[in-house]
Amino acid sequence: MKKYIILYITILSTFSYNSYSQTNKVTSADKKYDNYAYIDAIKTYERIAEKGYKSAAMFQKLGNAYYFNAKLESAAKWYTELFTLTSEVDSEYYYRYSQSLRAIGENSKADLMMEKFNQLSGNDDRSKLFQKNKNYLDEIKANSGRYEIQDAGVNSKYSDYGAAIYLNKIVFASSRDTGSLTQRKHTWTNQYFTNLYIADLDESKTPGNPDKFDEKINSKYNESTPTFTKDGKTMYFTRNNYNGGKKGKDANNVTLIKIYKASLENGKWENITELPFNNDNYSTAHPSLSSDENTLYFASDMPGTLGQSDIFKVKINVDGSFGTPENLGSKINTAGRETFPFVNDENEIYFASDGHPGLGGLDVFMSKINLDGTLNEIRNLGGDINSPKDDFAYLIDTKSRRGFFTSNRDGGQGYDDIYKFLETKKLSCEQELYGEITDLVSKQILPNTKVTLYDNKFNLVNTTVSDAKGIYSFTVECGKTYILRFQKTDYTSKEEKVTIVSENGKTNLPITLEKEECKVTNGDDLGRCFGIKMIYFDLDKSNIRSEAALDLEKILDVLKSYPTMKLDIRSHTDSRASHKYNESLSDRRAKSTISWFVKNGVNPKRLTGKGYGETQLINKCADDIECTEEEHQLNRRSEFIIIAL
């Protein structure tokens, strides 16, 4: 393997992203418009909780409402109520409770909650080095058999490597130019210095006959591994520390390698300049542009490198200047060598490493880059791309699933050879996670709802907004657990956890959002503000159960907040008993509900009620009609119809 050009780098930083702050527009509870009352559901829940009613779901909602708005003192109050009631909650609530406790100075208790969080979340510590899988050979075997591989058709008996795609052409490095008798070989490899070559690609990504690339790019020293902007007007490439006829050397009198930039003008590559973070005393090499062309990934042994060589990234500013290079961290970089990064338009980063478990030499690995810069688990591409020798410089076109990589494996034509491939099965099992977002009460679709996708440790994975039909969609990995957060102005934010099955396909997760303030007028069902579909009674009885009382407390709070409001309480059954029995039972239940309100201080003149039995079915499920349990459930309902405001 060419020591002079191949930097081996390990990297990947473990980023901890725990940002849960969000903005919820809260309107005053007493705000009124003509003939409308605005019911603040959160305030109602809080008043109910203050009266002693206990519900884990209610305490979670209250704690989250304050936590998401960075009101940690209030969040601590309601999370304390939650943990007093139950410890059977998702591990993330231990984390939130810990953060909230620290805000009120209860650090010892916060530490205990964090210890519990670590236990429940698998003792995951994002600052620790990635723990290598003892059964890595089983993983490599499972990831194999996914490629059809052929010689690329451009190889020589010399070294050919490091392909890039440029305007439906392939550009690669080769030492085939032996030139004149004075053409020199590199003393480390006994290979001639490399230049860049270019060849046309057909529809199957098969190269034609190669020609030398631009004469101003090729020098008498090494050039390799270019990357190009989509418009084809800018390129970054690797070259020995040589420009303008001048050769640079480090403190040991060695000429290292650097990344250069060039621009296309009138069909010629001009303005060849080295990048500002280059240095005579360390190497930078193998640039790769992100899909949005705002970030350049590269390999280097610059100060701060974790191993022999690491992968870095650097921001490209709007004015063309560069930020400060960042090491990708210990999730990718190891004490060994990581090099040849390639980032595709699906935010997957491929790189070569001898530090991660592999088959020998350099193996190619892949990780998914999340929106916040964190990376998913590192995966070996398997025994097709990888071999006991060096395998590197992988690139793939995500549309055709065709690409190229380089290897010095047995059976090649030269020192290094370029191979073309067709990926017949993706490395990751994927699912489409999608759903429709609607209003809880009106069932209207909710377009432009912000949806944020996190992994099970709340690292940001992706974000989107629902389309005109209220549909959101993400591509997710099989077998993994995700948390989704749904946010829309005037609605209470909501989180849902979902575990994806371990097979390719689709997962449908519809979502209903509850308005922060429910707008009602005469003739509306007040129960819809709180998602009350039915007041539950024991079988064939009409006494108020404890869970029914919790829902009735919500209605009671509104009645006390709006003393002129009057309600007609209506109870309905399904058709699965006699008309007479259903009417009698529903009437007793309506009257029992009214009695409960009166006992709790509501003037009986404000309440009317009646049981309608099965006389007002809302679907086809009448006598002798076969229906599902879900269809019958729609008819078993309680209504709180506003008859006066």
Side-chain angles (χ1 to χ4, degrees):
M1 178 59 60
K2 299 167 291 301
K3 295 180 182 178
Y4 62 82
I5 201 69
I6 296 178
L7 287 179
Y8 301 92
I9 324 176
T10 80
I11 78 182
L12 229 244
S13 59
T14 302
F15 294 98
S16 178
Y17 185 83
N18 289 308
S19 176
Y20 309 102
S21 178
Q22 63 184 21
T23 301
N24 288 325
K25 183 180 179 182
V26 179
T27 311
S28 174
D30 60 357
K31 184 177 181 181
K32 299 178 181 179
Y33 292 130
D34 293 341
N35 298 320
Y36 289 99
Y38 284 79
I39 313 302
D40 190 329
I42 294 298
K43 293 299 181 184
T44 291
Y45 292 144
E46 192 163 34
R47 286 190 290 264
I48 293 170
E50 296 285 8
K51 293 175 67 173
Y53 282 84
K54 299 180 183 298
S55 163
M58 182 170 65
F59 291 148
Q60 286 176 346
K61 182 174 288 188
L62 284 167
N64 291 342
Y66 288 111
Y67 188 88
F68 292 157
N69 286 284
K71 298 178 180 179
L72 298 184
E73 295 85 356
S74 296
K77 171 184 175 180
W78 295 115
Y79 286 146
T80 298
E81 292 290 340
L82 171 63
F83 280 89
T84 300
L85 186 63
T86 180
S87 61
E88 298 298 320
V89 297
D90 289 341
S91 62
E92 193 58 31
Y93 281 95
Y94 284 91
Y95 181 88
R96 295 179 189 173
Y97 190 25
S98 174
Q99 299 297 94
S100 301
L101 288 169
R102 293 193 190 283
I104 58 176
E106 293 189 21
N107 292 318
S108 296
K109 190 174 181 180
D111 289 340
L112 292 175
M113 292 299 106
M114 183 58 74
E115 289 177 8
K116 186 67 174 177
F117 167 74
N118 289 333
Q119 294 172 10
L120 294 175
S121 61
N123 282 318
D124 181 78
D125 184 350
R126 300 178 185 109
S127 67
K128 292 181 180 179
L129 294 175
F130 175 78
Q131 298 300 312
K132 296 178 180 179
N133 183 358
K134 295 180 181 179
N135 300 316
Y136 72 91
L137 288 175
D138 292 337
E139 177 193 351
I140 292 174
K141 182 179 180 180
N143 294 342
S144 302
R146 301 181 300 106
Y147 290 92
E148 297 175 2
I149 297 174
Q150 295 177 277
D151 184 286
V154 294
N155 295 308
S156 66
K157 64 180 182 178
Y158 300 97
S159 183
D160 305 286
Y161 71 96
I165 302 298
Y166 165 58
L167 299 179
N168 205 35
K169 301 175 186 292
I170 183 175
V171 180
F172 62 96
S174 178
S175 61
R176 68 186 63 194
D177 182 13
T178 59
S180 65
L181 294 175
T182 60
Q183 180 74 15
R184 296 176 298 170
K185 292 183 177 181
H186 198 284
T187 57
W188 288 1
T189 64
N190 199 35
Q191 288 281 308
Y192 291 98
F193 285 92
T194 59
N195 286 150
L196 294 181
Y197 286 76
I198 187 169
D200 292 328
L201 293 174
D202 64 16
E203 293 181 356
S204 65
K205 293 290 189 291
T206 299
N209 294 324
D211 294 313
K212 266 194 171 184
F213 197 68
D214 190 278
E215 61 183 9
K216 289 192 175 182
I217 298 297
N218 289 327
S219 70
K220 62 182 180 178
Y221 293 103
N222 291 299
E223 285 81 30
S224 72
T225 54
T227 186
F228 299 87
T229 55
K230 293 185 181 68
D231 62 9
K233 295 181 179 179
T234 302
M235 70 178 291
Y236 301 88
F237 64 99
T238 307
R239 177 193 276 178
N240 276 117
N241 186 359
Y242 177 81
N243 198 26
K246 296 181 180 180
K247 182 172 68 172
K249 298 180 180 181
D250 68 3
N252 296 317
N253 204 35
V254 175
T255 298
L256 301 176
I257 51 179
K258 293 182 176 182
I259 299 174
Y260 293 83
K261 178 182 178 181
S263 57
L264 187 66
E265 297 182 5
N266 299 319
K268 295 290 184 180
W269 290 100
E270 307 284 356
N271 305 317
I272 300 173
T273 58
E274 65 172 274
L275 299 191
F277 49 84
N278 289 334
N279 192 287
D280 290 347
N281 293 308
Y282 56 77
S283 289
T284 58
H286 315 317
S288 176
L289 278 169
S290 61
S291 180
D292 62 10
E293 301 181 352
N294 293 327
T295 304
L296 189 72
Y297 293 82
F298 63 95
S300 180
D301 60 353
M302 66 173 57
T305 300
L306 302 180
Q308 297 176 48
S309 59
D310 284 2
I311 298 175
F312 290 77
K313 67 177 181 179
V314 64
K315 182 180 179 182
I316 303 175
N317 299 316
V318 176
D319 61 1
S321 62
F322 292 84
T324 301
E326 300 176 40
N327 189 303
L328 290 193
S330 59
K331 197 165 187 178
I332 284 185
N333 295 317
T334 69
R337 302 170 296 176
E338 281 71 42
T339 187
F340 288 99
F342 168 74
V343 180
N344 65 19
D345 57 7
E346 294 179 349
N347 280 333
E348 294 171 336
I349 182 169
Y350 295 83
F351 63 98
S353 171
D354 65 1
H356 294 278
L359 295 176
L362 290 172
D363 273 23
V364 180
F365 297 84
M366 185 273 281
S367 178
K368 184 82 170 183
I369 304 173
N370 298 319
L371 290 185
D372 61 353
T374 57
L375 293 108
N376 291 347
E377 62 178 317
I378 308 302
R379 305 191 67 180
N380 187 298
L381 292 198
D384 307 305
I385 298 297
N386 294 318
S387 71
K389 298 294 183 68
D390 285 324
D391 309 285
F392 57 99
Y394 178 100
L395 72 87
I396 186 170
D397 171 61
T398 58
K399 304 302 185 293
S400 66
R401 308 311 297 180
R402 296 181 182 274
F404 301 92
F405 73 100
T406 303
S407 178
N408 67 344
R409 64 185 59 190
D410 295 338
Q413 297 187 40
Y415 190 71
D416 291 312
D417 291 294
I418 299 172
Y419 294 86
K420 68 176 183 177
F421 65 78
L422 170 65
E423 186 186 50
T424 58
K425 179 183 177 183
K426 296 189 71 172
L427 175 61
S428 299
C429 171
E430 293 182 341
Q431 282 235 354
E432 179 188 4
L433 174 58
Y434 73 102
E436 182 184 58
I437 307 173
T438 57
D439 184 288
L440 173 68
V441 176
S442 69
K443 308 305 179 186
Q444 290 182 330
I445 61 173
L446 297 179
N448 300 316
T449 301
K450 181 181 179 181
V451 188
T452 308
L453 181 71
Y454 300 93
D455 66 15
N456 64 346
K457 295 180 178 63
F458 264 93
N459 295 309
L460 177 65
V461 177
N462 208 341
T463 185
T464 188
V465 294
S466 57
D467 63 18
K469 296 181 179 179
I471 302 296
Y472 72 93
S473 177
F474 294 106
T475 298
V476 295
E477 294 187 45
C478 302
K480 290 198 171 184
T481 298
Y482 295 91
I483 297 98
L484 296 104
R485 181 176 297 159
F486 301 86
Q487 297 169 265
K488 187 172 180 63
T489 302
D490 297 331
Y491 284 83
T492 300
S493 294
K494 186 174 186 178
E495 286 180 359
E496 288 286 342
K497 179 181 283 188
V498 59
T499 298
I500 307 301
V501 298
S502 297
E503 60 183 35
N504 288 297
K506 296 183 178 182
T507 296
N508 184 19
L509 183 65
I511 294 296
T512 58
L513 295 184
E514 182 179 359
K515 280 194 173 182
E516 288 181 342
E517 289 191 337
C518 182
K519 184 170 65 175
V520 293
T521 189
N522 287 340
D524 287 346
D525 181 0
L526 180 59
R528 290 189 176 182
C529 282
F530 305 100
I532 301 172
K533 297 179 180 178
M534 183 177 180
I535 297 298
Y536 289 92
F537 298 84
D538 289 326
L539 182 64
D540 294 334
K541 295 183 179 180
S542 57
N543 55 298
I544 303 296
R545 289 166 52 176
S546 58
E547 56 264 46
L550 178 61
D551 279 335
L552 292 179
E553 275 285 354
K554 301 169 188 177
I555 304 298
L556 177 63
D557 182 81
V558 175
L559 287 171
K560 290 183 176 180
S561 298
Y562 296 88
T564 61
M565 180 182 288
K566 294 182 181 181
L567 296 180
D568 183 38
I569 298 167
R570 304 172 185 178
S571 179
H572 303 268
T573 69
D574 60 36
S575 63
R576 293 183 295 181
S578 68
H579 284 271
K580 183 177 180 180
Y581 177 83
N582 284 334
E583 185 174 356
S584 176
L585 178 62
S586 63
D587 196 59
R588 291 198 308 273
R589 288 178 170 178
K591 287 180 170 54
S592 179
T593 302
I594 292 173
S595 177
W596 187 92
F597 283 124
V598 172
K599 287 179 181 179
N600 283 276
V602 178
N603 189 326
K605 293 182 178 180
R606 300 174 61 192
L607 304 169
T608 59
K610 180 181 177 181
Y612 291 86
E614 58 181 281
T615 62
Q616 295 186 3
L617 301 177
I618 60 175
N619 57 24
K620 66 178 182 178
C621 300
D623 291 341
D624 301 323
I625 301 296
E626 185 175 347
C627 288
T628 65
E629 179 60 35
E630 290 75 15
E631 289 172 321
H632 283 301
Q633 177 64 62
L634 294 174
N635 290 314
R636 298 196 304 272
R637 64 196 190 279
S638 299
E639 298 172 328
F640 301 86
I641 305 302
I642 299 171
I643 57 177
L645 277 174

